[in-house]
Amino acid sequence: MHLTTAYATAVVEGDILAGRLVRLACERHLKDLQTGAERGLHFDEEAANRAFRFFGQLRLGKGRGAGGHFRLEPWQCFIVGSLFGWKKANGFRRFTSAYIEVARKNGKSTLLAGAALYMLGLDGEGAPEVYSAATKRDQAKIVFSEARRLARSVPALRKLFDIKENVIFHRPSDGEFRALSSDAQTQDGLNPHCTVIDELHAHKTRDLVDVIESAEGSRDQPLTLIITTAGSSSDKAAVCWEKRTYGEEVVKGNFDDDTTFVYIAGLDDGDDWKDESVWIKANPNLGVSVTLDVLKRQRDQALAKPARQSEFRRKRCNQWLEVESRWFETEALDRNRAPFILSDVAGRRPVCTLDLSSKTDLTSLCLTWGDDGNDREPWRFLQRYFCPEVGVVARSENDGVPYLQWKEAGHLIATPGARVDYDRVLEEIRALRDEHGFEVIGVDPWNAQAIANQLEKDGFEVFEYRQGMPSFSGPSKEFEALIADGRFCHDGNPITDWMLGNVSVRVDGKENYMPFKASQKLRVDGVMTMIMGVGLIHAGVSKEPDSKRVSISAGFYERA
């Protein structure tokens, strides 16, 4: 049995554990072996074997197995064999596009770099143009650089290719391979024979994809290789989700498209992302370029630090998440139910933070007491929330929470009119100062110039605390640690509990993160002011007040 078919058979018969969409792709291959001739299709085993032999000459340049020959794993044999083995009646390749979605660190870039080199030098095309394309040039150069490394690994290929810093030439055919990015000056005049589009989920527009697809018309058998990991809910309006959804319908048999190859490896609905036995569904290279120990460690980190759960599920389990994960699970919050006793902080000055509301959010005022150098002591937070009197009932209906009851119970201060009365906010700040003796107040500068000026006139040391990743990442991690350690204590306001249950977390590529709300109906203002309080205390402003307003935006432990 040919290696391509052997993998498909093993998946369908259950000898290899794979997700539903991979099984459907394998069933498609086996079915086409039986019925493809009716549509003018045939599987050319020797054509697939030529590609296999090419990969077998390549030597890996980094990571596990560096220096050894490129040994295609069974799932890679299925992809390479399908792409280069399936033919039309005229002898040209069947597939002109491929959508490949696999979790990170499964060797996608190396596999596609090898395929691009094959298309450049051994496909028999006249003057082939091969591109590695991405949103940014640095990303586009990942596959290109890997191809350059592979080409240099084989003496015969070094004779065949002229390998430069930014281009690989194929002398016999006058072909070339370059990195291409959407931020380049122009993509005019392209005539691609093969294009590798890397991490499509990062493409917020379809411009580059459209340019490439529209430029393929003059080639007899062009090939566009899309490779990506899963995106997030915010990516579902972009081109990656469109391609992914289309590919899913193709392998389901709902669309008749003999030109598109699809391989989507991921967990199935109902799979527990914490269960290591299902990880191979998203990681077909498990045990080769991906180790179980690494995944276990990252899973455990995600359980300990909820901000990492979305990242682990998306990048390591290849799950498209409908919404970002909640930051704090109920169990973690339940470990922080110690009563707030004001006498515990008697004689200690808190810092005050203020987040003024938009039309729909709440204005949040928070006092924060740190641990005073005792790392076993909880941090304490006292909140005041404000909203306009007009529209309280409508807010309750829109947000699905009992604002009216909260107002009547004293948890929410409703000020007269259709907007929050800032004079009432100032009145509350002054009353709290009289009771707790604080001098420092951090203010989100959005729409806050007038109230900040008045606070300065009242003798407060006012700090602008901008809401962005630089100023929030460090304090957010500290805040998360407080909750994980059971060292978080608030004054029992149910609005704070509601907001803690609402908040999600956004993580960037450098593992910085900050809170956000996944829905416009959710409110997280109280969480923002608590984290601002953590940031002010760690920046030292409560102990070293300055005489002029400064900005807390340059980083966690320093003032701008």
Side-chain angles (χ1 to χ4, degrees):
M1 188 181 295
H2 193 267
L3 291 174
T4 310
T5 304
Y7 174 82
T9 302
V11 168
V12 171
E13 293 182 353
D15 295 326
I16 294 177
L17 180 62
R20 178 178 62 94
L21 295 178
V22 169
R23 289 198 305 274
L24 289 174
C26 292
E27 290 173 1
R28 180 191 187 196
H29 173 82
L30 297 177
K31 180 180 179 181
D32 286 347
L33 289 175
Q34 301 298 320
T35 65
E38 300 171 5
R39 308 194 306 278
L41 303 176
H42 67 280
F43 187 69
D44 185 340
E45 293 188 358
E46 178 52 30
N49 289 340
R50 282 197 298 272
F52 291 164
R53 289 194 293 271
F54 173 77
F55 274 90
Q57 296 178 59
L58 303 175
R59 289 184 179 274
L60 299 175
K62 60 180 181 177
R64 301 181 73 191
H69 286 284
F70 194 145
R71 177 181 175 273
L72 288 172
E73 296 300 316
W75 71 280
Q76 295 172 325
C77 288
F78 178 71
I79 292 174
V80 173
S82 296
L83 291 175
F84 295 103
W86 276 106
K87 299 291 187 66
K88 298 185 292 187
N90 60 8
F92 292 134
R93 277 191 305 275
R94 164 191 180 177
F95 293 119
T96 59
S97 65
Y99 182 86
I100 301 168
E101 188 181 290
V102 199
R104 287 190 66 193
K105 301 301 181 181
N106 277 268
K108 300 189 301 293
S109 297
T110 304
L111 179 68
L112 272 295
L117 276 181
Y118 185 86
M119 293 286 286
L120 175 65
L122 288 93
D123 204 40
E125 183 75 8
E129 295 179 18
V130 178
Y131 298 101
S132 169
T135 55
K136 301 293 184 182
R137 183 170 176 79
D138 287 347
Q139 182 69 38
K141 289 198 74 172
I142 291 176
V143 171
F144 173 81
S145 297
E146 186 64 21
R148 188 176 57 195
R149 189 165 24 246
L150 292 173
R152 287 172 173 165
S153 73
V154 183
L157 294 183
R158 290 200 297 269
K159 296 178 182 179
L160 191 65
F161 296 119
D162 185 8
I163 306 167
K164 304 293 187 182
E165 181 67 22
N166 295 311
V167 62
I168 303 173
F169 293 106
H170 180 244
R171 297 185 183 94
S173 68
D174 197 27
E176 59 183 55
F177 181 8
R178 298 178 182 272
L180 179 70
S181 60
S182 58
D183 58 359
Q185 292 295 319
T186 180
Q187 296 96 27
D188 293 340
L190 300 183
N191 185 15
H193 177 54
C194 174
T195 306
V196 177
I197 302 177
D198 198 13
E199 295 296 2
L200 186 63
H201 76 270
H203 292 237
K204 301 308 179 186
T205 72
R206 58 177 307 115
D207 296 348
L208 186 60
V209 175
D210 286 345
V211 167
I212 290 165
E213 291 180 343
S214 64
E216 293 175 338
S218 63
R219 300 285 184 178
D220 290 322
Q221 48 179 2
L223 181 59
T224 299
L225 301 168
I226 292 173
I227 185 167
T228 190
T229 52
S232 62
S233 56
S234 61
D235 299 323
K236 289 191 173 182
V239 63
C240 187
W241 182 249
E242 173 193 318
K243 294 289 186 181
R244 203 251 194 206
T245 303
Y246 180 79
E248 186 172 345
E249 294 302 313
V250 168
V251 294
K252 286 179 179 177
N254 295 333
F255 293 157
D256 294 328
D257 184 351
D258 283 330
T259 67
T260 300
F261 173 80
V262 180
Y263 187 91
I264 301 174
L267 270 57
D268 293 318
D269 293 342
D271 284 340
D272 182 357
W273 64 270
K274 301 181 289 295
D275 181 2
E276 61 198 59
S277 69
V278 299
W279 290 343
I280 194 170
K281 292 182 179 182
N283 298 273
N285 239 30
L286 189 62
V288 183
S289 62
V290 181
T291 66
L292 188 59
D293 286 344
V294 168
L295 292 183
K296 285 180 178 179
R297 184 171 68 250
Q298 293 182 348
R299 183 267 316 273
D300 293 344
Q301 290 172 346
L303 290 172
K305 295 186 175 182
R308 296 188 178 185
Q309 289 185 14
S310 292
E311 182 180 28
F312 181 85
R313 294 176 63 184
R314 186 168 61 84
K315 294 181 179 179
R316 293 305 206 175
C317 299
N318 209 47
Q319 291 182 304
W320 284 80
L321 303 180
E322 287 296 328
V323 296
E324 300 291 339
S325 295
R326 281 180 53 181
W327 195 0
F328 303 114
E329 298 297 331
T330 302
E331 295 81 0
L333 296 175
D334 285 344
R335 292 195 296 269
N336 294 271
R337 295 299 183 192
F340 185 103
I341 303 173
L342 279 175
S343 60
D344 290 341
V345 292
R348 291 166 49 192
R349 290 183 177 183
V351 297
C352 179
T353 47
L354 177 64
D355 182 11
L356 299 176
S357 58
S358 65
K359 291 182 179 179
T360 56
D361 292 330
L362 301 181
T363 287
S364 173
L365 172 66
C366 179
L367 300 189
T368 301
W369 287 266
D371 56 23
D372 203 28
N374 180 357
D375 60 8
R376 291 176 296 178
E377 183 181 356
W379 286 52
R380 295 173 175 85
F381 303 87
L382 185 149
Q383 290 276 10
R384 296 287 188 270
Y385 296 102
F386 304 82
C387 77
E389 180 78 48
V390 174
V392 168
V393 174
R395 280 172 175 261
S396 297
E397 294 174 352
N398 181 67
D399 293 356
V401 290
Y403 284 120
L404 191 58
Q405 290 90 326
W406 286 339
K407 171 199 165 188
E408 292 172 350
H411 302 305
L412 177 65
I413 300 171
T415 65
R419 294 179 180 274
V420 170
D421 183 351
Y422 289 169
D423 287 338
R424 178 66 183 86
V425 176
L426 286 167
E427 177 185 323
E428 189 68 21
I429 293 173
R430 293 165 186 146
L432 289 170
R433 178 174 62 176
D434 292 342
E435 184 176 357
H436 301 291
F438 59 87
E439 301 174 10
V440 170
I441 182 165
V443 180
D444 172 13
W446 181 86
N447 203 31
Q449 186 67 50
I451 198 169
N453 290 339
Q454 184 58 54
L455 287 167
E456 284 189 329
K457 291 178 181 178
D458 288 348
F460 290 99
E461 300 291 339
V462 180
F463 293 82
E464 292 183 355
Y465 201 117
R466 299 187 181 278
Q467 295 196 2
M469 195 69 80
S471 56
F472 265 80
S473 180
S476 294
K477 293 175 182 178
E478 287 289 330
F479 186 71
E480 179 184 73
L482 292 175
I483 290 179
D485 294 343
R487 298 177 56 229
F488 166 82
C489 180
H490 74 82
D491 61 339
N493 193 312
I495 302 177
T496 302
D497 281 330
W498 174 57
M499 290 182 177
L500 287 166
N502 289 339
V503 68
S504 298
V505 66
R506 178 174 287 117
V507 183
D508 69 13
K510 298 180 180 179
E511 293 197 6
N512 298 310
Y513 52 85
M514 68 175 292
F516 82 110
K517 55 184 181 182
S519 166
Q520 290 302 312
K521 288 189 175 183
L522 301 178
R523 310 285 168 244
V524 299
D525 317 278
V527 179
M528 303 300 280
T529 51
M530 288 189 284
I531 293 173
M532 288 164 65
V534 173
L536 283 174
I537 289 175
H538 275 289
V541 298
S542 61
K543 297 179 179 179
E544 301 176 10
D546 201 345
S547 60
K548 64 177 181 177
R549 188 185 312 164
V550 298
S551 172
I552 308 298
S553 60
F556 188 19
Y557 292 106
E558 59 186 77
R559 286 184 276 179

mmCIF file of all heavy atoms in Angstrom, residues 203-237:
data_model
loop_
_atom_site.group_PDB
_atom_site.id
_atom_site.type_symbol
_atom_site.label_atom_id
_atom_site.label_comp_id
_atom_site.label_asym_id
_atom_site.label_seq_id
_atom_site.Cartn_x
_atom_site.Cartn_y
_atom_site.Cartn_z
ATOM 1 N N HIS A 203 -3.694 37.488 9.034
ATOM 2 C CA HIS A 203 -4.045 38.404 7.943
ATOM 3 C C HIS A 203 -5.407 39.018 8.251
ATOM 4 O O HIS A 203 -6.428 38.340 8.181
ATOM 5 C CB HIS A 203 -4.102 37.664 6.603
ATOM 6 C CG HIS A 203 -2.768 37.184 6.119
ATOM 7 N ND1 HIS A 203 -2.243 37.544 4.901
ATOM 8 C CD2 HIS A 203 -1.851 36.370 6.689
ATOM 9 C CE1 HIS A 203 -1.059 36.964 4.741
ATOM 10 N NE2 HIS A 203 -0.806 36.244 5.819
ATOM 11 N N LYS A 204 -5.432 40.290 8.591
ATOM 12 C CA LYS A 204 -6.689 40.948 8.936
ATOM 13 C C LYS A 204 -7.487 41.353 7.694
ATOM 14 O O LYS A 204 -8.675 41.637 7.776
ATOM 15 C CB LYS A 204 -6.413 42.185 9.792
ATOM 16 C CG LYS A 204 -5.672 41.863 11.087
ATOM 17 C CD LYS A 204 -6.356 40.756 11.878
ATOM 18 C CE LYS A 204 -5.592 40.425 13.152
ATOM 19 N NZ LYS A 204 -6.176 39.256 13.865
ATOM 20 N N THR A 205 -6.840 41.429 6.551
ATOM 21 C CA THR A 205 -7.542 41.693 5.294
ATOM 22 C C THR A 205 -7.195 40.582 4.310
ATOM 23 O O THR A 205 -6.257 39.807 4.526
ATOM 24 C CB THR A 205 -7.134 43.049 4.683
ATOM 25 O OG1 THR A 205 -5.796 42.958 4.169
ATOM 26 C CG2 THR A 205 -7.206 44.151 5.722
ATOM 27 N N ARG A 206 -7.929 40.524 3.231
ATOM 28 C CA ARG A 206 -7.693 39.502 2.226
ATOM 29 C C ARG A 206 -6.871 40.033 1.059
ATOM 30 O O ARG A 206 -6.749 39.374 0.028
ATOM 31 C CB ARG A 206 -9.023 38.950 1.737
ATOM 32 C CG ARG A 206 -9.980 39.976 1.149
ATOM 33 C CD ARG A 206 -11.261 39.316 0.626
ATOM 34 N NE ARG A 206 -10.952 38.242 -0.276
ATOM 35 C CZ ARG A 206 -11.240 36.965 -0.011
ATOM 36 N NH1 ARG A 206 -11.831 36.629 1.124
ATOM 37 N NH2 ARG A 206 -10.925 36.022 -0.869
ATOM 38 N N ASP A 207 -6.283 41.221 1.207
ATOM 39 C CA ASP A 207 -5.621 41.872 0.070
ATOM 40 C C ASP A 207 -4.513 41.021 -0.527
ATOM 41 O O ASP A 207 -4.465 40.813 -1.748
ATOM 42 C CB ASP A 207 -5.057 43.230 0.508
ATOM 43 C CG ASP A 207 -6.142 44.210 0.937
ATOM 44 O OD1 ASP A 207 -7.321 43.910 0.672
ATOM 45 O OD2 ASP A 207 -5.820 45.241 1.533
ATOM 46 N N LEU A 208 -3.594 40.527 0.298
ATOM 47 C CA LEU A 208 -2.461 39.767 -0.224
ATOM 48 C C LEU A 208 -2.925 38.456 -0.853
ATOM 49 O O LEU A 208 -2.425 38.050 -1.903
ATOM 50 C CB LEU A 208 -1.452 39.494 0.890
ATOM 51 C CG LEU A 208 -0.143 38.826 0.462
ATOM 52 C CD1 LEU A 208 0.604 39.674 -0.559
ATOM 53 C CD2 LEU A 208 0.746 38.560 1.672
ATOM 54 N N VAL A 209 -3.886 37.794 -0.212
ATOM 55 C CA VAL A 209 -4.425 36.548 -0.763
ATOM 56 C C VAL A 209 -5.053 36.802 -2.127
ATOM 57 O O VAL A 209 -4.841 36.037 -3.077
ATOM 58 C CB VAL A 209 -5.447 35.929 0.202
ATOM 59 C CG1 VAL A 209 -6.094 34.694 -0.414
ATOM 60 C CG2 VAL A 209 -4.785 35.575 1.528
ATOM 61 N N ASP A 210 -5.810 37.881 -2.242
ATOM 62 C CA ASP A 210 -6.448 38.197 -3.518
ATOM 63 C C ASP A 210 -5.417 38.481 -4.600
ATOM 64 O O ASP A 210 -5.577 38.061 -5.760
ATOM 65 C CB ASP A 210 -7.372 39.408 -3.365
ATOM 66 C CG ASP A 210 -8.659 39.068 -2.621
ATOM 67 O OD1 ASP A 210 -8.949 37.864 -2.479
ATOM 68 O OD2 ASP A 210 -9.346 39.998 -2.180
ATOM 69 N N VAL A 211 -4.352 39.204 -4.250
ATOM 70 C CA VAL A 211 -3.304 39.507 -5.231
ATOM 71 C C VAL A 211 -2.686 38.223 -5.753
ATOM 72 O O VAL A 211 -2.485 38.051 -6.971
ATOM 73 C CB VAL A 211 -2.223 40.416 -4.603
ATOM 74 C CG1 VAL A 211 -0.979 40.467 -5.486
ATOM 75 C CG2 VAL A 211 -2.766 41.818 -4.386
ATOM 76 N N ILE A 212 -2.382 37.301 -4.854
ATOM 77 C CA ILE A 212 -1.738 36.046 -5.251
ATOM 78 C C ILE A 212 -2.674 35.199 -6.103
ATOM 79 O O ILE A 212 -2.286 34.684 -7.163
ATOM 80 C CB ILE A 212 -1.281 35.280 -4.003
ATOM 81 C CG1 ILE A 212 -0.112 36.022 -3.346
ATOM 82 C CG2 ILE A 212 -0.868 33.858 -4.352
ATOM 83 C CD1 ILE A 212 0.184 35.568 -1.946
ATOM 84 N N GLU A 213 -3.916 35.049 -5.656
ATOM 85 C CA GLU A 213 -4.848 34.193 -6.394
ATOM 86 C C GLU A 213 -5.166 34.760 -7.773
ATOM 87 O O GLU A 213 -5.334 34.008 -8.733
ATOM 88 C CB GLU A 213 -6.121 34.001 -5.581
ATOM 89 C CG GLU A 213 -5.902 33.153 -4.330
ATOM 90 C CD GLU A 213 -7.158 32.956 -3.520
ATOM 91 O OE1 GLU A 213 -8.133 33.719 -3.710
ATOM 92 O OE2 GLU A 213 -7.174 32.035 -2.678
ATOM 93 N N SER A 214 -5.227 36.073 -7.875
ATOM 94 C CA SER A 214 -5.541 36.673 -9.178
ATOM 95 C C SER A 214 -4.361 36.624 -10.134
ATOM 96 O O SER A 214 -4.537 36.815 -11.341
ATOM 97 C CB SER A 214 -5.983 38.130 -8.985
ATOM 98 O OG SER A 214 -4.916 38.911 -8.456
ATOM 99 N N ALA A 215 -3.150 36.350 -9.627
ATOM 100 C CA ALA A 215 -1.952 36.358 -10.469
ATOM 101 C C ALA A 215 -1.602 34.977 -11.009
ATOM 102 O O ALA A 215 -0.620 34.829 -11.744
ATOM 103 C CB ALA A 215 -0.771 36.916 -9.683
ATOM 104 N N GLU A 216 -2.380 33.947 -10.667
ATOM 105 C CA GLU A 216 -2.003 32.580 -11.020
ATOM 106 C C GLU A 216 -2.504 32.129 -12.382
ATOM 107 O O GLU A 216 -2.199 31.016 -12.815
ATOM 108 C CB GLU A 216 -2.550 31.613 -9.958
ATOM 109 C CG GLU A 216 -1.917 31.761 -8.595
ATOM 110 C CD GLU A 216 -2.566 30.863 -7.556
ATOM 111 O OE1 GLU A 216 -3.733 30.459 -7.759
ATOM 112 O OE2 GLU A 216 -1.910 30.576 -6.549
ATOM 113 N N GLY A 217 -3.220 32.965 -13.072
ATOM 114 C CA GLY A 217 -3.926 32.519 -14.266
ATOM 115 C C GLY A 217 -3.063 31.999 -15.397
ATOM 116 O O GLY A 217 -3.508 31.179 -16.210
ATOM 117 N N SER A 218 -1.819 32.430 -15.510
ATOM 118 C CA SER A 218 -1.001 32.037 -16.656
ATOM 119 C C SER A 218 -0.207 30.760 -16.422
ATOM 120 O O SER A 218 0.528 30.317 -17.299
ATOM 121 C CB SER A 218 -0.028 33.175 -17.004
ATOM 122 O OG SER A 218 0.856 33.416 -15.936
ATOM 123 N N ARG A 219 -0.340 30.137 -15.260
ATOM 124 C CA ARG A 219 0.354 28.889 -14.970
ATOM 125 C C ARG A 219 -0.586 27.700 -15.155
ATOM 126 O O ARG A 219 -1.775 27.781 -14.863
ATOM 127 C CB ARG A 219 0.876 28.890 -13.523
ATOM 128 C CG ARG A 219 1.851 30.013 -13.209
ATOM 129 C CD ARG A 219 3.216 29.770 -13.805
ATOM 130 N NE ARG A 219 4.163 30.820 -13.417
ATOM 131 C CZ ARG A 219 5.438 30.837 -13.761
ATOM 132 N NH1 ARG A 219 5.947 29.856 -14.516
ATOM 133 N NH2 ARG A 219 6.220 31.827 -13.381
ATOM 134 N N ASP A 220 -0.030 26.583 -15.653
ATOM 135 C CA ASP A 220 -0.856 25.397 -15.888
ATOM 136 C C ASP A 220 -1.210 24.669 -14.599
ATOM 137 O O ASP A 220 -2.292 24.101 -14.483
ATOM 138 C CB ASP A 220 -0.126 24.426 -16.831
ATOM 139 C CG ASP A 220 -0.029 24.958 -18.249
ATOM 140 O OD1 ASP A 220 -1.006 25.590 -18.708
ATOM 141 O OD2 ASP A 220 1.012 24.751 -18.895
ATOM 142 N N GLN A 221 -0.304 24.643 -13.659
ATOM 143 C CA GLN A 221 -0.573 23.924 -12.407
ATOM 144 C C GLN A 221 0.041 24.672 -11.220
ATOM 145 O O GLN A 221 0.959 24.172 -10.560
ATOM 146 C CB GLN A 221 -0.070 22.489 -12.471
ATOM 147 C CG GLN A 221 1.344 22.322 -12.987
ATOM 148 C CD GLN A 221 1.784 20.866 -12.990
ATOM 149 O OE1 GLN A 221 1.026 19.954 -12.631
ATOM 150 N NE2 GLN A 221 3.014 20.628 -13.387
ATOM 151 N N PRO A 222 -0.470 25.869 -10.953
ATOM 152 C CA PRO A 222 0.040 26.632 -9.803
ATOM 153 C C PRO A 222 -0.392 25.957 -8.503
ATOM 154 O O PRO A 222 -1.327 25.142 -8.480
ATOM 155 C CB PRO A 222 -0.629 27.995 -9.966
ATOM 156 C CG PRO A 222 -1.912 27.679 -10.654
ATOM 157 C CD PRO A 222 -1.597 26.554 -11.609
ATOM 158 N N LEU A 223 0.272 26.302 -7.430
ATOM 159 C CA LEU A 223 -0.071 25.729 -6.133
ATOM 160 C C LEU A 223 0.070 26.797 -5.054
ATOM 161 O O LEU A 223 1.143 27.374 -4.880
ATOM 162 C CB LEU A 223 0.847 24.543 -5.817
ATOM 163 C CG LEU A 223 0.601 23.811 -4.489
ATOM 164 C CD1 LEU A 223 -0.820 23.266 -4.427
ATOM 165 C CD2 LEU A 223 1.618 22.689 -4.308
ATOM 166 N N THR A 224 -1.037 27.064 -4.360
ATOM 167 C CA THR A 224 -1.025 27.976 -3.209
ATOM 168 C C THR A 224 -1.164 27.139 -1.950
ATOM 169 O O THR A 224 -2.145 26.420 -1.779
ATOM 170 C CB THR A 224 -2.171 28.986 -3.283
ATOM 171 O OG1 THR A 224 -2.024 29.785 -4.458
ATOM 172 C CG2 THR A 224 -2.162 29.895 -2.070
ATOM 173 N N LEU A 225 -0.161 27.215 -1.087
ATOM 174 C CA LEU A 225 -0.128 26.437 0.147
ATOM 175 C C LEU A 225 -0.391 27.358 1.325
ATOM 176 O O LEU A 225 0.450 28.182 1.677
ATOM 177 C CB LEU A 225 1.237 25.760 0.305
ATOM 178 C CG LEU A 225 1.651 24.795 -0.816
ATOM 179 C CD1 LEU A 225 3.124 24.441 -0.684
ATOM 180 C CD2 LEU A 225 0.791 23.543 -0.779
ATOM 181 N N ILE A 226 -1.557 27.254 1.907
ATOM 182 C CA ILE A 226 -1.921 28.054 3.082
ATOM 183 C C ILE A 226 -1.632 27.225 4.323
ATOM 184 O O ILE A 226 -2.073 26.075 4.434
ATOM 185 C CB ILE A 226 -3.395 28.462 3.046
ATOM 186 C CG1 ILE A 226 -3.638 29.453 1.905
ATOM 187 C CG2 ILE A 226 -3.830 29.066 4.377
ATOM 188 C CD1 ILE A 226 -5.096 29.777 1.679
ATOM 189 N N ILE A 227 -0.891 27.806 5.246
ATOM 190 C CA ILE A 227 -0.526 27.091 6.464
ATOM 191 C C ILE A 227 -0.769 28.010 7.656
ATOM 192 O O ILE A 227 -0.417 29.185 7.630
ATOM 193 C CB ILE A 227 0.945 26.637 6.388
ATOM 194 C CG1 ILE A 227 1.317 25.793 7.585
ATOM 195 C CG2 ILE A 227 1.880 27.804 6.246
ATOM 196 C CD1 ILE A 227 2.638 25.074 7.414
ATOM 197 N N THR A 228 -1.400 27.479 8.691
ATOM 198 C CA THR A 228 -1.772 28.348 9.804
ATOM 199 C C THR A 228 -2.088 27.529 11.037
ATOM 200 O O THR A 228 -2.288 26.302 10.963
ATOM 201 C CB THR A 228 -2.997 29.212 9.422
ATOM 202 O OG1 THR A 228 -3.208 30.217 10.405
ATOM 203 C CG2 THR A 228 -4.240 28.370 9.267
ATOM 204 N N THR A 229 -2.093 28.191 12.178
ATOM 205 C CA THR A 229 -2.721 27.647 13.374
ATOM 206 C C THR A 229 -4.089 28.309 13.510
ATOM 207 O O THR A 229 -4.432 29.223 12.761
ATOM 208 C CB THR A 229 -1.873 27.949 14.622
ATOM 209 O OG1 THR A 229 -1.588 29.352 14.659
ATOM 210 C CG2 THR A 229 -0.565 27.197 14.594
ATOM 211 N N ALA A 230 -4.862 27.858 14.462
ATOM 212 C CA ALA A 230 -6.197 28.415 14.674
ATOM 213 C C ALA A 230 -6.104 29.873 15.103
ATOM 214 O O ALA A 230 -5.126 30.305 15.717
ATOM 215 C CB ALA A 230 -6.949 27.600 15.721
ATOM 216 N N GLY A 231 -7.127 30.623 14.784
ATOM 217 C CA GLY A 231 -7.223 32.009 15.214
ATOM 218 C C GLY A 231 -8.163 32.139 16.390
ATOM 219 O O GLY A 231 -8.567 31.159 17.013
ATOM 220 N N SER A 232 -8.517 33.365 16.710
ATOM 221 C CA SER A 232 -9.439 33.632 17.810
ATOM 222 C C SER A 232 -10.754 34.157 17.246
ATOM 223 O O SER A 232 -10.916 34.321 16.037
ATOM 224 C CB SER A 232 -8.833 34.658 18.770
ATOM 225 O OG SER A 232 -8.615 35.890 18.114
ATOM 226 N N SER A 233 -11.690 34.429 18.140
ATOM 227 C CA SER A 233 -13.015 34.865 17.696
ATOM 228 C C SER A 233 -12.938 36.143 16.874
ATOM 229 O O SER A 233 -13.707 36.344 15.944
ATOM 230 C CB SER A 233 -13.920 35.077 18.914
ATOM 231 O OG SER A 233 -13.336 35.998 19.816
ATOM 232 N N SER A 234 -11.976 37.017 17.197
ATOM 233 C CA SER A 234 -11.857 38.276 16.467
ATOM 234 C C SER A 234 -11.372 38.076 15.037
ATOM 235 O O SER A 234 -11.499 38.967 14.205
ATOM 236 C CB SER A 234 -10.893 39.218 17.201
ATOM 237 O OG SER A 234 -9.598 38.644 17.297
ATOM 238 N N ASP A 235 -10.799 36.891 14.742
ATOM 239 C CA ASP A 235 -10.307 36.615 13.389
ATOM 240 C C ASP A 235 -11.398 36.072 12.472
ATOM 241 O O ASP A 235 -11.156 35.845 11.288
ATOM 242 C CB ASP A 235 -9.165 35.595 13.438
ATOM 243 C CG ASP A 235 -7.974 36.086 14.230
ATOM 244 O OD1 ASP A 235 -7.681 37.294 14.144
ATOM 245 O OD2 ASP A 235 -7.342 35.276 14.932
ATOM 246 N N LYS A 236 -12.598 35.856 13.000
ATOM 247 C CA LYS A 236 -13.609 35.178 12.209
ATOM 248 C C LYS A 236 -14.239 36.051 11.140
ATOM 249 O O LYS A 236 -15.024 35.569 10.333
ATOM 250 C CB LYS A 236 -14.688 34.587 13.127
ATOM 251 C CG LYS A 236 -14.161 33.388 13.916
ATOM 252 C CD LYS A 236 -15.271 32.651 14.616
ATOM 253 C CE LYS A 236 -14.743 31.367 15.244
ATOM 254 N NZ LYS A 236 -15.806 30.589 15.892
ATOM 255 N N ALA A 237 -13.906 37.331 11.149
ATOM 256 C CA ALA A 237 -14.367 38.195 10.063
ATOM 257 C C ALA A 237 -13.321 38.283 8.956
ATOM 258 O O ALA A 237 -13.545 38.950 7.954
ATOM 259 C CB ALA A 237 -14.673 39.593 10.598
#
